[in-house]
Amino acid sequence: MPTTMRINGKVFQSHSAPTARLLDVLRNDCHLKGTKEGCGEGECGACAVLVNGKLVNSCLVPLGQMERAEITTVEGLPEDSALARAFVRCGATQCGICTPGMMLAATALLAEHAHPTLEEIRWGLSGNLCRCTGYGRIYAAIAQAAGGPADV
Amino acid sequence: MSEWTRPRHLPEALEILAAAPGRYRVISGGTDLMVERHLAPERRPDAWLDISGLWELQGLQITEEGLRIGAATSLEAIRRHAEVAAHWPMLAASAAVTGAPPIQNRATLGGNLCNASPAADNAPVLLAYGARLEIVHHHGTRWLPYADFHQGYRKTALQAGELLGAVWIPYPPPRSRGYFRKVGTRAAQAIAKVSIAALIEAEREGMIQCARFGMASVAAVPCALPSVSQYLAGRAVRDIAEAPVRRGVRQDIAPVKDIRSTAAYRLEIASRLVLEAIDPRAARKKEDGV
Ligand SMILES: Cc1cc2nc3c(=O)[nH]c(=O)nc-3n(C[C@H](O)[C@H](O)[C@H](O)COP(=O)(O)OP(=O)(O)OC[C@H]3O[C@@H](n4cnc5c(N)ncnc54)[C@H](O)[C@@H]3O)c2cc1C
Ligand code: FES
Ligand code: FES
């Protein structure tokens, strides 16, 4: 039985096994390579996507639980947005492996707190690891995208 | 290829389990099982029963005696629930430190208990609150104090064909206060080195009527502290001495040495946390005096 989902607004049917990881379905069946595999164990957030608006690590999600789910990957975020511009302006990306997950964590955070405090930003991103930037620039980008100062 | 079954109703799920006891591996939020599957592919079961579609196991209800939490309710839903924050703040706190947001969005309370890690972060709080479990089977429902659920390292009281249906938590008695702490290495993701919850009921100013504890990562299973509770019952706070509390802690826990810390460190930290839970002001005074 195929699994039918909406991925970035488009209906998609996957014929992979229900035990397949959503991560592999996105990368291999849908060719959406923006979702990265870091640890494969739920620790790093490189594979983070939104499922029905909630941030999840796609390496921990079996396809069998995705029937009729609404999934947003980094490819589904607007190409030009306050968030994307702030990431560029603040230098919040270096090697870029963590960036898709960071953008989705930030999107989930901003949907809930339009003007997050530093504490809320830290919490919202606490499941996403970055080995390059030291986080400060990422926090600054999110604060700036929310219309706040960039010097958090 | 392994089989995947996702029933819509609890009776259907229980019938499937009862018809082939031991055949299915139950999966809920998958945050433990998907990691296990990744780390130990040879242990992949050949049949999965996915309980995430069972509405009967979802959500929180306030009852006359307290709170009922469906076993498949996410930690995120628990953390955000206004009544939980108001009446069971230790549970809101433990849910909030069980992994980072993407974990809490998927992880369920039932999964945390049934996975039966000695470090399970929501276990101490449920022991301290005196929670009861609703365990369901095709042939009916039984009730079990949560304190009797963990029977050995990663061994629970669940029998073949049974599911954890819900967790029931009574209202804390009036004039009681809670204490919850997780001592780890890093705020969110880290596995606890030691965590503790206590519910302390004062009869009148300065007198402890009843004290109930729960600790994780200090034995093969999450455990209560019966000797400490017994020592404290009916005692005036000013008559509580440090030595018997420490003795009780030593009796009640069986800390292990592992990659995260030594047994001696765990015993010391456990004793200090228990002393602080009993009298937070005394502990603070002592720290100030140092
Ligand atoms: C990155 C990461 C960080 C984590 N951090 C923490 C942490 O800080 N603290 C902590 O305590 N845990 C942590 N965990 C572990 C895990 O997230 C929790 O234990 C979670 O609550 C498990 O719930 P689940 O629904 O995902 O369980 P699943 O993986 O679906 O199942 C776990 C076990 O419980 C059984 N089970 C589940 N529900 C039922 C039921 N209703 N009846 C019978 N059996 C059932 C399953 O068969 C399985 O054996 C972390 C995990 C990851 C990947
Ligand atoms: S790859 Fe999924 S969390 Fe690291
Ligand atoms: S930019 Fe390299 S991991 Fe974050």
Side-chain angles (χ1 to χ4, degrees), chain A residues 19 54-55 60 65 112 126, chain B residues 28 37 50 80 105-106:
Chain A
T19 51
K54 293 205 192 298
L55 188 70
L60 298 185
Q65 298 188 340
E112 196 188 341
S126 61
Chain B
S28 189
R37 204 190 72 156
D50 176 5
R80 282 173 186 278
N105 286 340
R106 301 262 316 155

Side-chain angles (χ1 to χ4, degrees), chain B residues 119-175:
Chain B
D121 270 317
N122 301 284
V125 161
L126 297 181
L127 289 167
Y129 280 133
R132 282 200 312 151
L133 304 182
E134 179 187 330
I135 295 175
V136 291
H137 187 273
H138 181 54
H139 296 308
T141 299
R142 67 180 173 116
W143 299 86
L144 189 73
Y146 174 54
D148 298 338
F149 185 64
H150 297 290
Q151 303 195 325
Y153 179 70
R154 306 209 81 164
K155 186 174 168 4
T156 72
L158 285 181
Q159 309 275 318
E162 286 184 330
L163 287 176
L164 177 59
V167 178
W168 291 74
I169 312 177
Y171 279 108
R175 285 195 311 279

